[in-house]
Amino acid sequence: MSNPIPISVALGDGIGPEVTRATLQILAAADARIAPEEVELGERVYRRGISSGVDPAAWESIRRTRVLLKGPLTTPQGGGFKSVNVTLRKALGLFANVRPAVSYSPFVSTLHPKLDVIVVRENEEDLYAGIEHRQTDEVMQCLKLISRPGCERIVRYAFALARAHGRRKVTCMTKDNIMKMTDGLFSSVFREVARDYPDLATEHMIIDIGAARLADTPERFDVIVTLNLYGDILSDIAAQLTGSVGLAGSANIGSQAALFEAIHGSAPDIAGRGIANPSGMILSAVMMLSHIGQPDIATAIHNAWLCALEDGCHTADIHRQAAVGRPLRTDEFAAAIIDRLGQAPQALRKAVYHAESSGSVAAAAQYERPAPLHKALVGVDLFVHFRGGPGGLSPRVQRLANDRLKLSMITNRGVKVWPDGLPETFCTDHYRCRFQASTPTGDIQQNDIIELLQRMQHEGLDFIKAETLCTFDGVPGYALGQGQ
Ligand code: NAD
């Protein structure tokens, strides 16, 4: 028999220790060939004054084992605390978040008995970059960063996963009608990569109607690939539609490491009562076993779990009055699964795992940076903190223009307020002043911007930031103002 594989295990916060311990009991009973090492993450680490929530010993273990089975962690709201979940995903390069949701009707009540969808969520970018600033008294900013490697890696991964799992369709969801550059990059990469997978049907949906359709007719979806924030929301919707958020597991996959966790949080409202559903954590552990090359154990645990559902073993979150008997406690539910190891479900589809091919990760993780584009500096957006209306600001900003940079517009929260603004437009204390090259060649030097900033300082205007306007191979790398 092969040596047990070391894995790092974090019990987590709230219901985390309850569902993780139940899962570890099942893994032990199923003779999983693993050597768990407990690491501390989350609340207890924050309380020791480590604001990242991850202590050095945990990093050492995780970087050595390269596999982490993690209970949910509480992210303290506000304050100086960063989410450990986001830190781990980004620091370990876990670019793909895979979240299957399946209905188990009639054994778990759901309005959508045919739901069987995998949400593949980009895991490192988007608004989760956590780059936020207060810019004025009235305005906060959160940067949405979307990169070509980020889009290519997740989209390629989703297609490879769809093919490997015998799926038929990949749906991309974005808001590229509004965010034409960021979400637009994601959907254009999707169309490019789709050409390499003619065997799979593809479609693109705007996220709002896509989410509505998912809630209404989830059976029309197969694999969904989307950006980080949308994927977070969609996967919770999909899991809840199957009966409970407590039912879904997830894998966070990178080329160097992988993290497995339930999709639900630490559920402080029921923590310590011994009633949490450990299914999400159990199915995450099943995904982990498949990942580390133990598909036999993964198959056995998943089928025992299905048998338990068929036999009416339910935790409180999925227990219905029509069901037989009382809801089971977390440890009783784990015991019911252990009792059924070696059995196969009668009505639900039997689970069969094969050794996970790492090919799709390897292929997706390889990003070849193309030759650089020709970049030309053609202007600058200067953001200004100003308490008055646009009528007070525009003459002062116009005075800053010269024969190299002319003022082309002023916007407030993206809406043009000069020239020809509407009096109805509500203005905050946060303006953007767009200067564009007035030179015959259409381009300028960085020094022109530095001099412009100096003139702005002499004018007594409080600038917040300068965002350069560039073209790339002649294509503008900036959006127009609303109403421009
Ligand atoms: P939550 O998922 O913890 O709870 C939402 C609701 O679902 C609650 O009513 C809860 O009782 C119920 N629920 C969740 N898991 C359940 C289970 N296994 N069995 C039965 N019922 C379950 O979401 P929340 O309340 O928004 O977040 C609580 C904390 O968890 C926050 O600090 C949040 O940041 C954190 N969180 C962590 C993760 C993670 O570690 N990956 C994910 C989401 C939220």
Side-chain angles (χ1 to χ4, degrees):
M1 193 153 69
S2 55
N3 284 336
I5 296 181
I7 59 160
S8 307
V9 177
L11 295 179
D13 302 321
I15 58 168
E18 298 158 52
V19 295
T20 310
R21 285 202 180 99
T23 303
L24 289 173
Q25 278 168 13
I26 296 168
L27 287 168
D31 293 328
R33 298 177 292 279
I34 56 170
E37 291 179 9
E38 198 179 317
V39 297
E40 268 200 359
L41 300 171
E43 268 182 327
R44 274 174 294 179
V45 183
Y46 289 129
R47 272 196 237 114
R48 291 210 303 269
I50 300 174
S51 65
S52 69
V54 187
D55 73 8
W59 276 129
E60 188 283 319
S61 169
I62 296 163
R63 294 186 61 217
R64 181 167 35 75
T65 65
R66 300 190 177 277
V67 179
L68 172 63
L69 180 66
K70 185 185 82 58
L73 300 171
T74 300
T75 306
Q77 292 198 329
F81 304 105
K82 283 286 191 187
S83 156
V84 179
N85 301 313
V86 178
T87 301
L88 289 170
R89 290 171 192 159
K90 289 171 65 173
L92 296 171
L94 309 177
F95 65 90
N97 192 331
V98 182
R99 298 182 156 197
V102 183
S103 285
Y104 305 98
S105 178
F107 305 103
V108 178
S109 325
T110 166
L111 294 172
H112 304 285
K114 296 209 170 103
L115 189 162
D116 182 0
V117 60
I118 306 178
V119 178
V120 180
R121 161 188 173 195
E122 195 287 314
N123 218 16
E124 297 176 287
E125 310 195 330
D126 199 350
L127 293 161
Y128 289 65
I131 307 175
E132 294 192 295
H133 299 95
R134 179 172 193 161
Q135 297 189 310
T136 68
D137 292 5
E138 294 174 348
V139 174
M140 310 285 179
Q141 167 186 272
C142 176
L143 281 187
K144 171 158 171 157
L145 293 181
I146 303 295
S147 74
R148 176 164 269 276
C151 296
E152 276 198 22
R153 296 172 91 195
I154 193 65
V155 171
R156 287 189 191 288
Y157 185 83
F159 274 102
L161 176 125
R163 193 182 264 171
H165 286 241
R167 299 287 180 142
R168 284 190 296 278
K169 183 165 78 172
V170 184
T171 305
C172 175
M173 292 198 200
T174 72
K175 190 82 182 170
D176 63 356
N177 53 333
I178 303 294
M179 284 160 278
K180 294 178 196 296
M181 299 190 65
T182 47
D183 286 30
L185 174 62
F186 196 93
S187 59
S188 73
V189 166
F190 176 75
R191 285 190 293 275
E192 275 170 37
V193 175
R195 289 199 280 275
D196 297 338
Y197 291 86
D199 49 316
L200 293 171
T202 59
E203 65 181 349
H204 174 267
M205 279 189 186
I206 300 294
I207 181 70
D208 36 6
I209 189 63
R213 292 253 171 86
L214 178 68
D216 181 54
T217 39
E219 59 280 2
R220 72 178 301 292
F221 295 101
D222 200 348
V223 172
I224 298 174
V225 63
T226 189
L227 295 119
N228 201 340
L229 176 61
Y230 309 144
D232 196 358
I233 298 167
L234 287 183
S235 53
D236 266 28
I237 294 176
Q240 187 65 45
L241 291 179
T242 68
S244 167
V245 284
L247 285 171
S250 77
N252 295 261
I253 305 284
S255 51
Q256 308 288 328
L259 183 166
F260 300 86
E261 61 180 346
I263 74 157
H264 60 75
S266 53
D269 53 338
I270 56 166
R273 291 169 54 195
I275 58 168
N277 187 344
S279 298
M281 201 63 197
I282 294 166
L283 293 182
S284 306
V286 165
M287 292 170 93
M288 176 192 78
L289 290 168
S290 161
H291 176 82
I292 62 174
Q294 300 185 18
D296 49 339
I297 315 286
T299 303
I301 294 178
H302 198 151
N303 284 327
W305 178 78
L306 291 168
C307 288
L309 290 186
E310 283 187 347
D311 291 346
C313 305
H314 287 165
T315 44
D317 55 323
I318 55 171
H319 191 72
R320 297 284 179 270
Q321 282 175 349
V324 204
R326 63 174 176 85
L328 297 186
R329 298 176 58 78
T330 310
D331 51 356
E332 292 170 330
F333 186 66
I337 295 167
I338 291 170
D339 284 348
R340 289 165 177 79
L341 284 168
Q343 296 179 25
Q346 301 299 309
L348 293 170
R349 197 174 65 227
K350 214 174 135 191
V352 185
Y353 287 86
H354 305 285
E356 190 97 322
S357 148
S358 55
S360 54
V361 178
Q366 276 169 16
Y367 168 75
E368 278 189 35
R369 186 164 286 157
L373 305 176
H374 174 70
K375 181 178 174 188
L377 184 62
V378 297
V380 63
D381 279 346
L382 294 186
F383 291 79
V384 178
H385 181 175
F386 184 77
R387 290 181 71 91
L393 179 65
S394 59
R396 296 179 66 186
V397 182
Q398 283 177 76
R399 283 205 283 278
L400 309 178
N402 64 7
D403 59 349
R404 294 189 55 79
L405 278 167
K406 64 174 189 324
L407 180 67
S408 61
M409 68 168 182
I410 301 178
T411 67
N412 194 291
R413 289 187 298 174
V415 182
K416 184 167 66 95
V417 294
W418 181 93
D420 309 323
L422 295 178
E424 289 83 1
T425 304
F426 178 80
C427 287
T428 65
D429 58 358
H430 181 278
Y431 288 88
R432 170 180 57 163
C433 307
R434 173 162 290 181
F435 287 86
Q436 285 177 290
S438 46
T439 59
T441 51
D443 59 357
I444 53 166
Q445 307 299 318
Q446 289 198 332
N447 208 35
D448 291 310
I449 297 176
I450 294 168
E451 287 172 11
L452 176 64
L453 283 170
Q454 282 169 344
R455 293 198 293 282
M456 185 163 261
Q457 187 195 19
H458 288 143
E459 181 58 41
L461 290 170
D462 179 5
F463 63 82
I464 306 156
K465 75 165 182 178
E467 190 85 48
T468 57
L469 307 180
C470 299
T471 59
F472 292 83
D473 278 357
V475 178
Y478 47 92
L480 294 179
Q482 202 77 41
Q484 193 181 14

